[in-house]
Amino acid sequence: MYALPAMNRFARLVSAVVVAAVALPPGGARAAETDVSIKSGGNEFHPAEIVVHIGDFVRWTNDDRTLFQTDHNVMADDGSFSSQQRMKEGSTFEFQFTTAGTFSYHCTIHGWRGTVVVIAQRPTRSATPTPDATASRSARPKASRSAKASQTPDASPAASTTPSIDARGVGGNGRSSAGTILSIALVSIAVLIGLGYFVYARFLREL
């Protein structure tokens, strides 16, 4: 007697889970919302035809702002969805489409019509792999330590412009200079004697 209510509760829980799994978009797909404005003027549904993906929501809003209250409603031709019989100004109705197809609907109060085209579900967006935050640090080449430059030997000192004096040649050079002077003196004396004789013989003897 007590097992039957427990089984009923369990069955209701399983049914709720299955309905939720069907209604929710598949993993990785993101449900979107598309708005349809309801207001008087030409066609009440703006836009009159929309295209959505499986799992997307469509939200109708009564945007009429008239002097007198203007009600609208949204009714599927096949009865798959319907709003309140009268949607007051500013009120909304939302429905999620879980199957593909073309769904025509209308307003039973004014007779205007609209269409919702449901296509395949949105492609899943695979997460872009995030590059490793730690940037690989390229090893900096170590500065090669060049061997110390061998010290350039100092330039050999310039040869002294002052001639070196050989101690042994001092005496020899002195004797050579004295001989040269003596020879010049003797030649000069001889020239003077010859010149004197020439003057005497030419001029003085005639006197």
Side-chain angles (χ1 to χ4, degrees):
M1 298 215 30
Y2 294 101
L4 187 58
M7 291 180 63
N8 289 337
R9 288 195 297 271
F10 179 74
R12 287 196 296 271
L13 178 61
V14 171
S15 299
V17 171
V18 171
V19 171
V22 172
L24 291 175
R30 182 176 60 85
E33 289 186 356
T34 302
D35 287 301
V36 177
S37 177
I38 308 174
K39 55 186 176 182
S40 300
N43 191 336
E44 289 183 340
F45 302 110
H46 304 275
E49 182 175 336
I50 58 174
V51 179
V52 298
H53 292 81
I54 294 176
D56 288 354
F57 290 86
V58 177
R59 179 171 54 201
W60 290 266
T61 303
N62 184 349
D63 288 326
D64 255 337
R65 297 292 185 270
T66 58
L67 181 61
F68 301 100
Q69 177 70 37
T70 303
D71 297 339
H72 302 287
N73 61 30
V74 178
M75 300 292 174
D77 293 353
D78 60 1
S80 57
F81 58 89
S82 63
S83 66
Q84 300 176 6
Q85 186 62 33
R86 290 189 174 273
M87 295 172 58
K88 302 298 181 181
E89 292 180 0
S91 61
T92 61
F93 165 66
E94 191 175 81
F95 183 76
Q96 184 182 28
F97 290 86
T98 57
T99 56
T102 300
F103 299 88
S104 299
Y105 63 93
H106 60 279
C107 172
T108 60
I109 301 175
H110 302 94
W112 284 288
R113 307 188 63 81
T115 305
V116 177
V117 179
V118 184
I119 59 177
Q121 57 192 346
R122 297 178 183 275
T124 59
R125 296 182 179 179
S126 58
T128 304
T130 304
D132 189 2
T134 305
S136 59
R137 297 181 179 178
S138 57
R140 294 183 178 178
K142 295 182 179 180
S144 59
R145 295 181 179 178
S146 57
K148 293 182 179 180
S150 58
Q151 295 181 352
T152 305
D154 295 338
S156 58
S160 175
T161 56
T162 305
S164 57
I165 300 175
D166 190 356
R168 294 175 299 174
V170 172
N173 290 339
R175 287 192 298 270
S176 176
S177 300
T180 301
I181 294 171
L182 180 60
S183 299
I184 293 172
L186 292 176
V187 171
S188 299
I189 292 171
V191 170
L192 291 174
I193 292 172
L195 182 61
Y197 178 77
F198 174 77
V199 171
Y200 172 76
R202 181 67 182 265
F203 298 102
L204 296 179
R205 285 180 63 181
E206 296 179 356
L207 297 174

